[in-house]
Amino acid sequence: MKEDPIKSFRNAFQGFLKEENLEHTYKQKQVIADWEKIMGKTIASRTTKMFFNQKTLFVKLSSAPLKSEMQNSKAQIIELIEKEIGKGEVEDVRFL
């Protein structure tokens, strides 16, 4: 039976990330790329900038009330991110 080429590529890509020690960086980029999927269109539309420093995600928001609300929901936000990319990749979220 032939191996599925998609699984084969996925395995090769994951092997490459692991070998080059890029897994963490890839997952960080995945969080930024999937922010709308993780948090929803409304929050994503009010997000102006995102970046990581170590395992802390910094999110710049254009709405002060939203920033306050998000600050109070940090634990739930980290849980949503962990559902998407796995545990241990994001330890803290800070809103600017």
Side-chain angles (χ1 to χ4, degrees):
M1 187 178 251
K2 287 187 176 183
E3 188 176 348
D4 182 7
I6 293 174
K7 284 184 181 179
S8 182
F9 174 76
R10 184 177 299 128
N11 290 339
F13 184 67
Q14 289 173 344
F16 168 76
L17 291 174
K18 191 171 191 166
E19 189 174 303
E20 296 297 321
N21 200 24
L22 295 171
E23 291 172 302
H24 185 66
T25 303
Y26 178 76
K27 287 187 177 184
Q28 288 179 346
K29 300 291 183 191
Q30 190 177 6
V31 169
I32 293 169
D34 293 345
W35 185 245
E36 184 176 330
K37 178 181 170 188
I38 295 168
M39 296 305 298
K41 194 171 196 143
T42 304
I43 292 171
S45 70
R46 288 169 176 78
T47 301
T48 58
K49 186 176 183 179
M50 295 176 68
F51 63 93
F52 276 90
N53 186 359
Q54 304 297 327
K55 290 187 173 191
T56 301
L57 172 62
F58 290 86
V59 181
K60 184 166 174 60
L61 299 167
S62 61
S63 167
L66 179 61
K67 176 183 171 185
S68 176
E69 188 177 322
M70 299 280 281
Q71 193 70 33
N72 295 329
S73 302
K74 265 189 189 185
Q76 293 96 335
I77 293 167
I78 291 172
E79 281 181 34
L80 290 170
I81 293 170
E82 286 177 344
K83 266 189 207 176
E84 190 68 27
I85 64 162
K87 292 188 183 258
E89 297 298 326
V90 178
E91 293 177 353
D92 192 19
V93 181
R94 299 214 180 141
F95 300 97
L96 310 172

